[in-house]
Amino acid sequence: MGRLAGKVAVIMGATREGNMGQAIARRFLDEGAHVVVSGRGKEGLDVFAAATGATAMACDIGSRAQIQSLADAVVARHGAIDIAVNAAAIGFLAPFEEETEEQIDSMLSIIFKGGLFFMQVMVGAMKRERPSGRGGAIINISSAVADIMSNDHCSYMGAKAALNQMTRFVAYEYGKHGIRANILAPGLTITPMLGGFNVPGLVEAYAKEYPLGRITTVEDIANAALFMASDECFMTGQTFNVTGGLTLRRNPTAEEVMASIAAHGGAV
C-alpha cells in the first residue's frame, strides 16, 4: 500500500510538461493518492491526466472564486481534500530600477495573492468534518532566494518571502484543526519556467556553490513533497530547503554566471 493511499491531493501549477507540479503529481499517484491537477492551461492538464490517470480541472490561482469552485468540485467528487500543493509559478529577471509595474503586479497576483487565496480556500475545505476527521497538509513551493540573495530578482524574492510568512501564519493559526502548512524551497531547478535562460555554463556556475555538487531536480522536489504530504511528517510552519546545501553558501553573482556561460561557449 502506498504512503498516500486513499488521500485526495490538489496540485496547482501542473500544466507544463516537466515542471515541479507534474513531478509531484506523478510521485503522489505512485503512492496511491487521488490526484487533481490544476492550473490555467487546460490542454497541458488534459494531456497529463490522460497519460497518468490524474483528474484535470482548470483554475486561475489569481482568482479566489475559481479556486473555490475547484475545491468545491474536488470535494463533491472525492469527499475531501487531504493535500494541497501550490506549485504555480511566474518569474522574470530585471534590474531593480527597471522593474515595471506590470511585472510587479503579475508577481503579486500569482505568488502573493494567489498563494493567499489558495490557502484561504484549502483550509476551509480541510476543516470540514469527514469520516477520517479533519486536517490536511498544505505545501507551498517557494524558493531559496526568499532567504539568500540573487541578482535581478527583487520582486520575485519579496513575493516568495511573503508567501513563506503567510504559510507560517496558516501553520500557527490552523494547527488546532490538524492542518499542517509547510514551505518547500528549491534552488535552481531545470524546469520549463527557466526557458531560454538554460544555456551552456549556467548550471555549472550554480552547481559549484552546492555542497552536494549538483543543482536541484524536479525529482528531488517530488520526493520532499511526498514526505511533507504524508502522515509521517510531524512538522508545520517549516521551510524545507531542497538545495543540496546551497543556503550554506550563496548563489553565484551575475558576473560569475556570465563568465561561466562565456567559458562554455554559451550566450544569453
Side-chain angles (χ1 to χ4, degrees):
M1 182 178 293
R3 292 163 69 184
L4 303 182
K7 292 188 180 293
V8 178
V10 174
I11 301 176
M12 181 71 70
T15 59
R16 300 177 69 181
E17 183 178 356
N19 73 3
M20 294 181 192
Q22 289 198 0
I24 293 169
R26 288 183 187 278
R27 194 74 177 91
F28 285 9
L29 285 163
D30 288 344
E31 293 293 336
H34 303 292
V35 175
V36 177
V37 289
S38 193
R40 291 181 290 180
K42 187 66 164 61
E43 183 179 351
L45 296 171
D46 287 341
V47 170
F48 181 80
T52 63
T55 301
M57 296 184 184
C59 176
D60 182 351
I61 197 171
S63 167
R64 192 185 191 282
Q66 288 193 33
I67 301 170
Q68 187 65 62
S69 294
L70 169 67
D72 290 344
V74 174
V75 171
R77 178 167 182 161
H78 295 287
I81 296 174
D82 301 295
I83 303 161
V85 179
N86 170 20
I90 185 172
F92 63 86
L93 292 172
F96 175 67
E97 295 178 62
E98 297 175 17
E99 288 191 5
T100 67
E101 185 173 1
E102 181 180 10
Q103 289 174 321
I104 295 167
D105 284 346
S106 68
M107 197 71 65
L108 291 174
S109 176
I110 300 300
I111 298 176
F112 181 83
K113 288 172 58 179
L116 176 58
F117 293 156
F118 186 76
M119 289 191 287
Q120 285 179 325
V121 171
M122 293 303 155
V123 295
M126 290 175 178
K127 285 166 58 182
R128 299 177 186 180
E129 293 286 355
R130 55 188 189 273
S132 60
R134 293 180 297 174
I138 294 173
I139 302 167
N140 279 312
I141 307 298
S142 183
S143 172
V145 299
D147 295 308
I148 63 175
M149 293 297 103
S150 184
N151 292 105
D152 300 335
H153 270 71
C154 183
S155 292
Y156 182 80
M157 293 165 64
K160 288 294 191 180
L163 178 64
N164 290 4
Q165 191 72 345
M166 291 190 295
T167 307
R168 286 190 282 269
F169 171 84
V170 170
Y172 171 79
E173 187 79 4
Y174 290 93
K176 61 192 174 188
H177 297 288
I179 296 171
R180 293 179 286 108
N182 288 299
I183 302 146
L184 201 167
L188 179 70
T189 310
I190 304 301
T191 66
M193 193 175 80
L194 194 60
F197 291 102
N198 183 16
V199 296
L202 175 72
V203 169
E204 290 80 3
Y206 280 82
K208 67 182 185 178
E209 298 294 345
Y210 286 63
L212 292 184
R214 64 168 176 82
I215 66 168
T216 312
T217 68
V218 292
E219 290 76 23
D220 296 325
I221 302 305
N223 289 334
L226 172 61
F227 169 69
M228 296 166 75
S230 74
D231 293 335
E232 302 158 16
C233 181
F234 186 63
M235 303 175 75
T236 194
Q238 303 304 306
T239 299
F240 290 61
N241 282 295
V242 187
T243 65
L246 173 67
T247 52
L248 297 173
R249 296 180 181 173
R250 63 182 179 91
N251 279 306
T253 65
E255 293 77 14
E256 289 168 338
V257 171
M258 295 305 296
S260 179
I261 289 172
H264 287 81
V268 177

